[in-house]
Amino acid sequence: MSGIVELLVSRGAERRVDAPISAVACSRDGQTFAVGTVEGEIYLISVAVLRQPEAWHRVEAHDGAVLSLVADTGSGGFLSGGEDNRLVRTAADGATTELHKGRRWVEHVTSTSTTIAFSVGKQLELRDASGEKTLKVLDHPSSVTGIVFDAKGKRVAASHYNGVSMWYVQAKVDNVRPLEWKGSHIGLAIHPGGEALVSSMQENDLHGWRLSDGHNMRMSGYPRQVASMDFTRNGRWLATSGADSVVMWPFFGGGPMGKPPSELARLPGVFCSRVKAHPKHDMVAAGFEDGTVLLADTGSERVLPVCMEGRGKISGLAFSPQGGYMVFGTEDGAIGAIDLSSTG
């Protein structure tokens, strides 16, 4: 990759802030990114001023770390959970509204266009799009460690100790589908077609279930814990961190069981810390512990350098819904924003 101009230099901008980055998200309309920090700030980046970092807007959203940050139910704005025990709505103009304040951290938040889900301890609460009406509260055997909706927003799954619980959002009777596997489950990803659910484990492996029949799938061999994973746009591959490359598990042709994973964008001796699949193209963004960010084509050996090392461990990555923009953050407080709309 020597001699190739980094995309951050040729078509991006960056800014250093005073706190490590904990999360990055993009609004549903693709017009605004949000970057959360461990000090409770959220930096709003309008794509209109993407390359003008002095115009990025700082909002004091939480007293303590932003633990989770996602797009709001509407076209613009964000939802965040924090160490201050609050669920906060932040509009694209920076206005904040408190939707919940309790006695424990709001650790995990996710949403669809019609439903908000957030966890506090063992409970998962579902609210309507307004954020003001509670639809139901779902209890789990231990603390919730991850939440994910299926692509249609009809089912929600929560990971916890010894497995995952899956619920129907609109069901009048809360009939849980338990997906059991002993151990500590710490994160979730669901296949875009609803074919499989995968959890990352406290140990250095993944566990999955084929949702048609509950068949167990185990994906192991990682040198590190898998902290980040994402299905590609068509569900053919599951991209994961946990090695010095992006480990890609095939979810086609009978995989992943009995099939070895592929590797993309390998940096010998440098571990991948974040992955994010491009929403429209067969590409995966990979962030590494030395601050390198790469864009890798899943169907070829082509790798584009977004930026090289020197900015700290990548701790957040997000694309806009159409994939024309990308923002990343690092544990050293670096924020990078890139216009990908004409990379070819």
Side-chain angles (χ1 to χ4, degrees):
M1 290 182 288
S2 61
I4 298 178
V5 177
E6 301 172 24
L7 293 178
L8 183 60
V9 174
S10 63
R11 52 177 80 241
E14 62 180 309
R15 175 175 170 179
R16 290 272 184 167
V17 299
D18 294 331
I21 305 306
S22 57
V24 181
C26 188
S27 60
R28 291 187 189 278
D29 62 8
Q31 297 303 301
T32 311
F33 284 87
V35 180
T37 78
V38 300
E39 297 295 335
E41 305 143 319
I42 291 177
Y43 289 85
L44 298 174
I45 305 173
S46 168
V47 298
V49 293
L50 188 83
R51 301 184 69 174
Q52 303 170 40
E54 69 280 358
W56 300 353
H57 183 41
R58 176 179 173 272
V59 178
E60 294 185 7
H62 291 274
D63 182 13
V66 176
L67 299 175
S68 188
L69 179 63
V70 297
D72 201 352
T73 53
S75 60
F78 302 90
L79 300 164
S80 57
E83 285 183 344
D84 55 0
N85 310 332
R86 298 166 67 232
L87 175 69
V88 173
R89 166 172 278 149
T90 301
D93 64 2
T96 61
T97 304
E98 182 180 283
L99 299 179
H100 166 87
K101 183 173 177 60
R103 292 180 293 178
R104 299 188 65 177
W105 291 357
V106 179
E107 290 199 64
H108 303 282
V109 183
T110 192
S111 73
T112 68
S113 61
T114 59
T115 312
I116 296 168
F118 67 97
S119 69
V120 177
K122 299 179 182 180
Q123 291 187 328
L124 173 63
E125 184 168 336
L126 298 180
R127 294 192 181 184
D128 68 358
S130 74
E132 298 173 358
K133 179 183 178 181
T134 298
L135 303 176
K136 59 181 70 175
V137 177
L138 306 171
D139 291 307
H140 297 84
S142 59
S143 293
V144 172
T145 56
I147 314 169
V148 67
F149 283 104
D150 67 15
K152 297 181 180 179
K154 292 184 177 181
R155 294 175 294 180
V156 63
S159 56
H160 46 76
Y161 193 72
N162 285 341
V164 177
S165 298
M166 182 167 261
W167 312 79
Y168 279 95
V169 173
Q170 298 295 335
K172 294 183 179 180
V173 178
D174 292 333
N175 291 326
V176 62
R177 180 182 180 182
L179 298 164
E180 298 175 345
W181 191 259
K182 289 189 180 299
S184 182
H185 299 255
I186 59 173
L188 283 175
I190 194 165
H191 188 276
E195 297 174 13
L197 183 70
V198 178
S199 73
S200 53
M201 304 290 293
Q202 190 72 40
E203 300 77 21
N204 300 344
D205 56 20
L206 305 177
H207 191 82
W209 295 266
R210 192 167 59 202
L211 292 178
S212 60
D213 58 7
H215 179 75
N216 288 286
M217 300 178 287
R218 188 180 181 193
M219 291 151 276
S220 58
Y222 290 91
R224 292 268 187 97
Q225 187 182 90
V226 179
S228 179
M229 56 183 174
D230 196 25
F231 276 99
T232 57
R233 64 184 181 94
N234 52 19
R236 285 177 61 83
W237 299 96
L238 176 66
T240 70
S241 68
D244 60 0
S245 65
V246 181
V247 179
M248 304 282 289
W249 293 95
F251 275 73
F252 58 91
M257 298 308 294
K259 292 183 177 293
S262 299
E263 293 186 4
L264 287 178
R266 187 166 185 261
L267 285 184
V270 183
F271 281 85
C272 178
S273 55
R274 284 289 180 273
V275 296
K276 192 66 181 176
H278 194 282
K280 297 297 180 181
H281 299 297
D282 295 327
M283 302 183 77
V284 174
F288 291 80
E289 291 186 350
D290 68 349
T292 298
V293 180
L294 303 175
L295 270 177
D297 191 317
T298 62
S300 72
E301 298 298 318
R302 187 184 185 208
V303 176
L304 294 173
V306 175
C307 67
M308 304 311 290
E309 74 278 357
R311 295 170 176 84
K313 179 180 178 180
I314 302 299
S315 51
L317 271 176
F319 286 105
S320 58
Q322 295 301 315
Y325 304 95
M326 184 179 74
V327 169
F328 67 86
T330 80
E331 289 188 352
D332 285 0
I335 304 171
I338 305 95
D339 180 351
L340 299 170
S341 58
S342 58
T343 58

